[in-house]
Amino acid sequence: MTEACEGSVGKRILQYLMRYGMYLIFLLLMIYFSVSNPNFLTFNNLILILQQASPHGIAVIGIIFVLTVGGIDISIGRNMFLASTLVGVMTVNVSKNFLDSTAALAACLGIAVAVGIVFGLLNGIIITKFRMVPFITTLAVGSVMRGLGLTISNTRQFNITFMSPLASGRIFNIPYVLIIFAVLLVVSNYILRSTTFGRHLMAIGNDPENAKKIGINVDRDTILVYVICAVLAALGGILSAGQIGTIAATFGEGNEFIAISAAVVGGASLFGGKATILPGAVVGILLITLITNGMAMVNASPYAYTIVRGAIIFLAVMLDSINYKGVLR
């Protein structure tokens, strides 16, 4: 009886760790970095972390929609590169008077939306109509996007300072990009949790065949989430490039890893049917950004960044796998 009781207690502890473990890690890292460097927990540095995290956080929102239906999109980084390259080319080739106008900003945002719609549709249609594996499909489409970006840019580096006022500007010391991220978080969270479309996505992720039987248009909704993901990735890309100020040939490489890992760390499942935008997307991307910022402030070796980040991501994926297989149920 005692052994059974102890086993039950141990199981409950593991279940709590699975549910709240990442929040605990987030808190412990905050405490460690704060003790190691008093400047870490200042208002300016916390705002800087939020500002740096926001463009990637926008992409995380998009990948959460895809993960919800059991899909994957590894063309995110290439999407960011292509959209930003097109904006950079426009910056170089149009007149200064146009660049000083709000029309230029609208044109840049239009480019992001157009790139997202075209390549999101391409990903979604190939996956749903030709029944290709999402990983291979988005890998191939991403390669095409990278090739187009390199061809358009001729591998040159572009200045994209025009986007800096939006990407790095602030109002009442609150970054514009953080406001954009917050609005998208609230809207996306409402869509996923409180609309018929969101419930359909959860049903598709849990069992696409049963979803079809109850009348859900699985192909249409799947295509739509890939479009949402691609549009948000392109938007995040031009905002990220605006913060950096330049676009090099390597821009966007590895960003799909950051977005997917942040989504999983925040509670989304690689197996579909489970996702959380608030607070999941926020915790995920902040944890990834926190590691980079905090370790820089404590003068840690740059090689240690990927080790710590990789360990946390491995833990999140392992817990997701354990939960999916029902080991602790």
Side-chain angles (χ1 to χ4, degrees):
M1 182 72 175
T2 305
E3 290 180 2
C5 220
E6 289 176 352
S8 179
V9 171
K11 191 174 181 179
R12 281 201 298 271
I13 291 172
L14 287 175
Q15 287 173 337
Y16 276 114
L17 285 175
M18 286 179 62
R19 183 174 298 177
Y20 304 112
M22 287 303 150
Y23 299 96
L24 178 61
I25 290 173
F26 184 84
L27 179 62
L28 290 175
L29 283 174
M30 287 283 289
I31 294 171
Y32 170 73
F33 291 138
S34 302
V35 171
S36 301
N37 189 328
N39 293 323
F40 176 79
L41 209 57
T42 60
F43 176 79
N44 286 336
N45 189 56
L46 293 178
I47 286 292
L48 178 62
I49 291 173
L50 289 169
Q51 184 170 328
Q52 291 173 337
S54 293
H56 290 102
I58 292 170
V60 172
I61 295 173
I63 197 62
I64 285 175
F65 275 93
V66 171
L67 290 175
T68 303
V69 299
I72 194 77
D73 187 349
I74 59 169
S75 65
I76 291 175
R78 284 78 179 273
N79 187 334
M80 290 179 162
F81 173 68
L82 178 59
S84 301
T85 298
L86 288 171
V87 171
V89 170
M90 186 194 80
T91 303
V92 170
N93 290 290
V94 301
S95 68
K96 187 177 185 301
N97 290 334
F98 179 70
L99 289 178
D100 290 336
S101 70
T102 55
L105 176 59
C108 291
L109 297 177
I111 287 172
V113 172
V115 169
I117 290 174
V118 170
F119 288 96
L121 281 172
L122 185 59
N123 277 330
I125 290 171
I126 293 173
I127 290 167
T128 57
K129 303 304 180 184
F130 296 94
R131 305 301 173 193
M132 286 187 63
V133 178
F135 181 90
I136 299 300
T137 300
T138 55
L139 176 63
V141 171
S143 295
V144 171
M145 297 173 84
R146 172 66 65 178
L148 284 173
L150 291 173
T151 301
I152 292 167
S153 67
N154 199 24
T155 67
R156 290 177 299 168
Q157 181 169 300
F158 286 100
N159 290 325
I160 191 172
T161 52
F162 164 70
M163 289 299 299
S164 294
L166 180 62
S168 302
R170 300 185 180 190
I171 180 170
F172 302 117
N173 213 20
I174 304 299
Y176 290 124
V177 69
L178 176 58
I179 296 172
I180 295 171
F181 180 38
V183 170
L184 289 171
L185 279 171
V186 172
V187 172
S188 300
N189 187 67
Y190 174 78
I191 291 172
L192 204 56
R193 289 189 176 185
S194 305
T195 66
T196 301
F197 176 64
R199 289 189 288 272
H200 284 180
L201 298 186
M202 292 291 185
I204 293 169
N206 281 302
D207 193 328
E209 292 305 317
N210 278 340
K212 285 181 182 179
K213 290 176 183 177
I214 62 174
I216 296 174
N217 192 329
V218 173
D219 287 356
R220 181 198 62 196
D221 289 350
T222 300
I223 291 171
L224 188 53
V225 297
Y226 278 97
V227 171
I228 292 171
C229 181
V231 168
L232 292 179
L235 176 61
I238 63 173
L239 291 173
S240 179
Q243 288 183 348
I244 298 170
T246 59
I247 306 166
T250 57
F251 177 77
E253 284 291 343
N255 282 355
E256 62 279 353
F257 176 73
I258 293 173
I260 294 169
S261 58
V264 175
V265 166
S269 175
L270 291 170
F271 302 99
K274 177 190 171 189
T276 169
I277 290 179
L278 281 175
V282 178
V283 172
I285 193 59
L286 283 183
L287 183 57
I288 300 297
T289 310
L290 186 77
I291 293 169
T292 304
N293 178 278
M295 294 187 75
M297 294 196 75
V298 299
N299 296 317
S301 167
Y303 302 111
Y305 296 177
T306 52
I307 296 174
V308 175
R309 189 171 64 189
I312 291 173
I313 292 164
F314 172 79
L315 178 61
V317 173
M318 181 182 70
L319 292 176
D320 179 38
S321 180
I322 290 173
N323 187 51
Y324 175 75
K325 293 176 181 178
V327 174
L328 295 179
R329 293 175 189 171

